[in-house]
Amino acid sequence: MSELRGRLLNAAGELVGSGLRLEDGRIAEIFPPDENVSGWVTPGFVDVHCHGGGGSSFPDNPSPEGVDTAVGAHRALGTTVMLASTVSLVDPIPAIKDLVRACRAGKLAGIHLEGPYISPHKCGAQNPAAVRMPDMAELRSWLEAGEGYIKTMTIAPEVEGAMEAARMLLDYGAVPSWGHTSASGEQTRAVLEATAEYAQEIGFTRPPQMATHLFNAMPPIGHRAPGPVRELIAAAKKGICVVELVADAVHLHPDLVHDVLEYVGTDNPLGVVFVTDAMEGAGMPDGRYTLGGLDVDIVDGVARLSRGGAIAGGTARIAQEIERMVGGGYVPMDVAVRACVQTPAMTLGFDADTPGLTLEWEIGAPCNAVVFDEDLTVTQVWREGETYM
């Protein structure tokens, strides 16, 4: 028997108790709310944009051992559901096939293709040699190889064929995620509206599109040319898009994270999701690593390409983003939990049958939980009734 004590939140961030009693890893009792309890108990987190961790990279080493290493690094701090993100690859089929095997085994919940149909002017840490324009036959071959596990794909809205690619993704149950773009505001708005219209035509009931790490790898807001950021935020507020924020205090200033959550959340509380964009150095010491075949140096916890110095993914995990945002006073805990559990689950259509996911605490269900002390340090992690700390 185990007891998890703390303010108990569900996936929506609602306070529903003061902890759990477990028997054989299953929920046996939900303690009623108690204003004297300290710390927090939350559902396990969902990360829908992650390239690796623990010294292993999904696009570079999608072997069973590599996947286990990367997944384990995030699971150790409470991420119990995750997508594996690739990067722009000349031939992503081998990686897709390996990652599908991990999805079938329940280690991963799906795959995010980040590229290669992106702007050559906003590659970021992507390999320019792999970047190209959409090819529908090629894309169909990837989706078929993905066996339904490809959930999102980053595309630049201005590239020729972007809408054809978006329609094909939706037809396969996946969603386009607009990013790595040089698009104007007008181009972005047109693609957002056309995607939403097509999704309505085919009866797609979830948000039909996302924005890949909002603000990063796209033009900044200008007072005469607002650009894509304004349109993506406006679409999230209207409920036709969900925007990713890398809330690690490196990719974005915490004040900006607060502002986007507050502005979008006024009309659409499920419009913003926290992601890590983590690369293989997440959970590892400073040093040299790899992302998509490119060398990356981590210095003082910040990953940058060895050549050019562009930010090359994140090194934080979801629980650390919560600690930085909530502990710093920028975001309340309920809002952070919603952005890390309910919103990503809803966006990708995950439900109570998804391994590692808890939306509501139910007697008899296997435990998927993260326990924080009052300082927001993770003290326990449970996934499917097994403890990892």
Side-chain angles (χ1 to χ4, degrees):
M1 185 181 73
S2 300
E3 287 192 2
L4 315 184
R5 287 288 188 174
R7 287 159 282 186
L8 183 67
L9 305 182
N10 63 12
E14 297 165 333
L15 181 66
V16 293
S18 61
L20 305 168
R21 180 171 62 83
L22 309 181
E23 291 183 1
D24 297 325
R26 293 183 174 272
I27 299 170
E29 183 180 357
I30 300 169
F31 300 129
D34 180 352
E35 63 182 15
N36 296 314
V37 77
S38 63
W40 303 90
V41 181
T42 77
F45 304 124
V46 182
D47 191 355
V48 299
H49 186 161
C50 178
H51 299 280
S56 186
S57 167
F58 292 127
D60 297 289
N61 181 19
S63 67
E65 298 77 16
V67 169
D68 286 347
T69 296
V71 168
H74 290 270
R75 196 168 290 175
L77 279 189
T79 300
T80 56
V81 180
M82 64 190 307
L83 300 191
S85 297
T86 64
V87 291
S88 294
L89 300 169
V90 174
D91 180 12
I93 290 284
I96 290 171
K97 289 183 175 179
D98 282 341
L99 294 172
V100 163
R101 283 190 279 271
C103 293
R104 286 199 212 112
K107 299 174 183 178
L108 297 168
I111 300 166
H112 159 224
L113 301 180
E114 189 172 10
Y117 304 151
I118 60 175
S119 168
H121 308 293
K122 290 291 183 180
C123 290
Q126 307 273 335
N127 182 359
V131 172
R132 53 196 183 272
M133 296 298 102
D135 178 307
M136 294 306 103
E138 181 181 62
L139 176 57
R140 187 179 298 277
S141 73
W142 299 344
L143 291 165
E144 291 291 337
E147 298 181 10
Y149 288 111
I150 293 175
K151 303 297 184 182
T152 64
M153 182 178 186
T154 297
I155 304 173
E158 75 274 21
V159 299
E160 185 177 352
M163 269 312 305
E164 289 83 355
R167 293 188 190 101
M168 183 176 288
L169 287 167
L170 288 166
D171 288 341
Y172 276 81
V175 298
S177 188
W178 307 113
H180 282 276
T181 175
S182 298
S184 67
E186 291 76 15
Q187 289 172 311
T188 306
R189 186 186 313 130
V191 168
L192 286 163
E193 291 176 352
T195 301
E197 289 172 6
Y198 182 73
Q200 189 171 25
E201 286 175 17
I202 65 172
F204 196 88
T205 57
R206 295 184 277 114
Q209 54 207 321
M210 298 181 69
T212 295
H213 45 50
L214 186 72
F215 294 101
N216 295 112
M218 57 183 66
I221 293 177
H223 65 290
R224 292 193 178 92
V229 171
R230 178 188 180 276
E231 299 302 328
L232 293 166
I233 291 175
K237 190 175 178 68
K238 288 192 293 185
I240 63 169
C241 183
V242 173
V243 296
E244 296 179 355
L245 299 180
V246 186
D248 59 0
V250 174
H251 284 72
L252 297 174
H253 193 285
D255 284 340
L256 195 56
V257 174
H258 167 271
D259 291 349
V260 173
L261 280 164
E262 187 171 77
Y263 178 75
V264 171
T266 301
D267 292 322
N268 180 21
L270 298 176
V272 179
V273 58
F274 285 4
V275 299
T276 62
D277 194 16
M279 44 79 71
E280 69 175 7
M284 298 293 286
D286 286 359
R288 176 156 288 190
Y289 298 90
T290 302
L291 179 61
L294 303 180
D295 288 336
V296 176
D297 290 317
I298 297 180
V299 178
D300 295 330
V302 179
R304 295 184 180 275
L305 288 181
S306 302
R307 293 187 61 183
I311 287 182
T315 61
R317 289 160 284 180
I318 290 288
Q320 292 169 314
E321 294 191 348
I322 288 178
E323 189 278 328
R324 294 171 192 179
M325 294 300 108
V326 177
Y330 302 100
V331 179
M333 189 66 166
D334 61 328
V335 173
V337 168
R338 184 166 60 239
C340 297
V341 188
Q342 186 185 34
T343 299
M346 175 276 303
T347 300
L348 298 186
F350 297 152
D351 58 26
D353 293 328
T354 302
L357 180 63
T358 291
L359 298 172
E360 296 287 351
W361 305 105
E362 297 180 358
I363 301 297
C367 185
N368 300 294
V370 187
V371 182
F372 292 89
D373 66 17
E374 194 63 22
D375 295 324
L376 293 173
T377 298
V378 174
T379 60
Q380 291 188 64
V381 173
W382 290 78
R383 183 184 190 271
E384 292 296 295
E386 296 185 11
T387 183
Y388 287 84
M389 290 185 73

